[in-house]
Amino acid sequence: MKIKADKLKAAAVEILRACGESRDGAEVAAASMVKADARGITTHGTHLLVPVYDRVQANQLPLPTTVTLVEEKGATVIIDGGDGLGAVAGSRAVETAVKKAKQFGVAAALVRNTNNVGSLACYTEAAAAQGMIAFMCCNAASAMSPWGGAEAWMGTNPIAIAIYTGGDTMFSADMASSVAARGKIRKAARNGQAIPADWAIDAEGNATTDPVAALKGCLLPMGGPKGSALALAADIIAGMLSGAAYAVNLKSFHTPCGSTGVGAALTVINIENFMPLGKFAGLIQGYIADMKALKKAAGQTEIFLPGEIEQRREKKAAVEGVDLDEGAVEELRGLLEKTYSRITLE
């Protein structure tokens, strides 16, 4: 069903407030979730309210989120997320990194002791919109084996890049380092659906189309050894270097079994330190136009900029409403009932 974006956000804010988050923190986290839902990335959307609620009930998510700057040295900063909502820590990283990039030209913010940060594009795009180029990665609970292995070691550790374009559409790539995000496999398991055979292996190292078996085994890296290398690098930078947990020491946010220990790393480049922003915007707009004018492959009607399809979905959802399946809507209704909310999703 379709739910108006503002109503969906209001419901998310109310649930988060009932869980103990501050008004500002709830607004930031809810906006991140609704943005993901609006783009069709429902694994990083309001579905995350379920583990948030479960962790709060298990006294394993201290809210309101308290974010602190642990150490600042010139263009770098280490941020402690207080084991709270990842979106709040991620938002603080963007705010701090952009401010430093305007001063130094380049800045890096590492985050430790946080939880699931959702879709990384929310943060890289927020930075890029301010005339920046932003790179971000984070780590997650072990679910993928290094190339050639059959035992989980690192997470699906996503990587995102966003580039200011001066236009309505932003260059925005956001991808897991696995063939498919673990959240998609969880969703398939919830819905009793099979998964493609190249997504994962079972506990014995065999290819599987059973999402339950896949969750007990390992996900496969995108591009084989290339994706494996990216996942390992993200784990080392976002986890080890930041002082967060890494490799098998991370715990899943979806199960209340202790602090997750998630880390994230954001690097921001201020375009104006290298070229006038208007000149760069003109160059990249020409670049995009030339790219789109290329001959199309058979069966294709358009060449898309990375993230363009998702951005179009978000704009459409702002007008027509956010598409959520009945299961997701029922989850939200259940949480609204548990938190004694008067909001309805009709």
Side-chain angles (χ1 to χ4, degrees), residues 26-37 44-46 87 117-119 122-123:
E27 290 280 349
V28 166
S32 172
M33 293 176 186
V34 173
K35 187 181 187 73
D37 276 337
H44 296 350
T46 49
V117 296
S119 175
C122 290
Y123 314 105

Side-chain angles (χ1 to χ4, degrees), residues 73-332:
K73 290 183 179 178
T76 66
V77 62
I78 297 176
I79 296 171
D80 189 292
D83 195 25
L85 297 179
V88 178
S91 178
R92 184 67 175 277
V94 171
E95 176 188 342
T96 307
V98 168
K99 182 178 179 181
K100 286 183 173 292
K102 288 179 179 179
Q103 179 182 359
F104 296 103
V106 178
L110 300 186
V111 180
R112 67 190 188 198
N113 189 29
T114 191
N115 285 292
N116 189 311
V117 296
S119 175
L120 297 189
C122 290
Y123 314 105
T124 53
E125 288 183 18
Q130 299 177 66
M132 306 284 163
I133 297 173
F135 303 81
M136 191 173 185
C137 63
C138 72
N139 62 3
S142 57
M144 188 163 67
S145 176
W147 183 246
E151 186 176 356
W153 173 256
M154 68 278 199
T156 57
N157 305 350
I159 296 171
I161 304 170
I163 303 174
Y164 172 84
T165 64
D168 292 336
T169 302
M170 187 180 296
F171 180 110
S172 180
D174 181 1
M175 66 205 86
S177 51
S178 56
V179 174
R182 190 171 174 84
K184 289 185 177 180
I185 296 181
R186 289 195 189 93
K187 184 176 181 180
R190 290 196 303 272
N191 296 335
Q193 299 171 332
I195 60 172
D198 63 345
W199 279 17
I201 55 177
D202 63 21
E204 303 304 318
N206 301 307
T208 182
T209 59
D210 181 354
V212 176
L215 292 171
K216 294 178 181 178
C218 298
L219 303 186
L220 292 172
M222 65 173 182
K226 297 176 183 179
S228 177
L230 290 174
L232 290 168
D235 200 26
I236 293 167
I237 298 168
M240 188 184 297
L241 187 61
S242 71
Y246 52 91
V248 295
N249 299 310
L250 284 105
K251 293 183 173 64
S252 172
F253 183 67
H254 297 268
T255 305
C257 56
S259 297
T260 64
V262 168
L266 172 68
T267 300
V268 175
I269 300 172
N270 185 359
I271 293 170
E272 286 196 309
N273 272 63
F274 300 88
M275 178 184 294
L277 194 59
K279 180 180 179 180
F280 181 81
L283 289 172
I284 198 166
Q285 285 294 317
Y287 182 93
I288 294 169
D290 289 345
M291 180 198 77
K292 285 181 167 292
L294 292 171
K295 183 189 297 184
K296 283 40 169 206
Q300 302 301 315
T301 59
E302 186 173 357
I303 298 173
F304 296 98
L305 197 64
E308 185 172 3
I309 293 174
E310 291 79 7
Q311 291 170 66
R312 288 186 184 181
R313 283 188 192 134
E314 184 179 4
K315 290 174 183 176
K316 184 178 180 181
V319 177
E320 299 179 3
V322 179
D323 272 316
L324 289 179
D325 62 42
E326 189 59 35
V329 174
E330 286 306 312
E331 281 183 339
L332 286 173

